[in-house]
Amino acid sequence: MWILDDLVAALSGDRRSRAAKAVVTGAGSGIGRAFALELAARGGEVVCSDIDEERAQETVRMIRRIHGGAAHAVVCDVSRREDVESLAMHAELIFGGPPTLVVNNAGVGIGGKPVGEIGFEDWQWALGINMWGVVHGSEIFVPRLRAAGRGGIINVASAAGFAAAPSMGPYNVSKAAVMSLSETMAAELSGSGVAVTVLCPTFVRTNVARDGRITAASQQLAETLMRWTGFTPEQVARTTLDANDRGRLYVVPQLDAQVIWHLKRHFPTLYAHALGVMNHLLPHDDQQSAEAADGHDTKTGV
């Protein structure tokens, strides 16, 4: 599936992740923190952005303690365009020019309710961070990267973007949008020297299930699957940075995600039927526990 990508990249020999001047959103925990630490390990200088200042500062302290590298914390709510514009200006002041690598990682988990019971406020919250956060990061940073004539942009989506599992409507929609946006950008930036990569994992051992708006039964299932089948954030970050170095568009790191990818494309009707069966077998919250799970946490590190 990605042989041609790897062949083209092998001929170019570019290593964008080495000594990068990088901006990472949602860098206060999980995959974002892993990206920041791995970039520092590769000799980079990292702007660690997060909505939670203390989490961002903690990542900066870890970079300085472990790698002795240059790192900077910037508070940013990616759902707010003005915050992302301010982030870009801060980064240019810090780096003395545009970044060479941008990781649009910030995101939140949401799930456990079928369409029709989700509520518009939850839709707007999830899409505001997971979709508009990446739109803001792309629309604001891409012109800077294009003008520089080289660099990379990594958008963190999810296997949910193509798996379309039941009771995950807002999450599925937001991650499908990130995939489509990344594919569009890859075509538009072809030949520009800027490589686009979209990350589509299944379960990664992060705090996204605890920090999101996920009903109790769904949260318990997600945390169990993360514990037993999830990759570590460090594995995912290393794999994705290597893929961007090679000019690869898609990163689907786990076997279960790859199986879903092929099943849906080759057997779409059978796949949809299997999802319907799964929907009846999975645990569902009663109305009382679903309402109790509506504590609206706004952390945005995945």
Side-chain angles (χ1 to χ4, degrees), residues 52-75:
D52 186 318
E53 183 176 10
E54 178 51 36
R55 284 187 176 185
Q57 292 285 3
E58 185 179 1
T59 300
V60 168
R61 290 192 292 270
M62 291 174 69
I63 288 173
R64 291 172 179 169
R65 183 176 71 250
I66 298 169
H67 303 295
H72 317 269
V74 176
V75 177

Side-chain angles (χ1 to χ4, degrees), residues 154-216:
I154 295 171
N155 293 330
V156 177
S158 167
F162 55 83
S167 298
M168 292 178 59
Y171 194 75
N172 295 343
V173 169
S174 65
K175 296 303 184 178
V178 171
M179 289 187 67
S180 182
L181 173 62
S182 302
E183 292 161 350
T184 302
M185 288 164 51
E188 292 173 348
L189 291 168
S190 178
S192 70
V194 180
V196 179
T197 297
V198 58
L199 170 61
C200 303
T202 48
F203 292 98
V204 182
R205 295 170 202 157
T206 71
N207 59 2
V208 68
R210 293 188 300 275
D211 280 352
R213 299 184 181 181
I214 302 178
T215 57

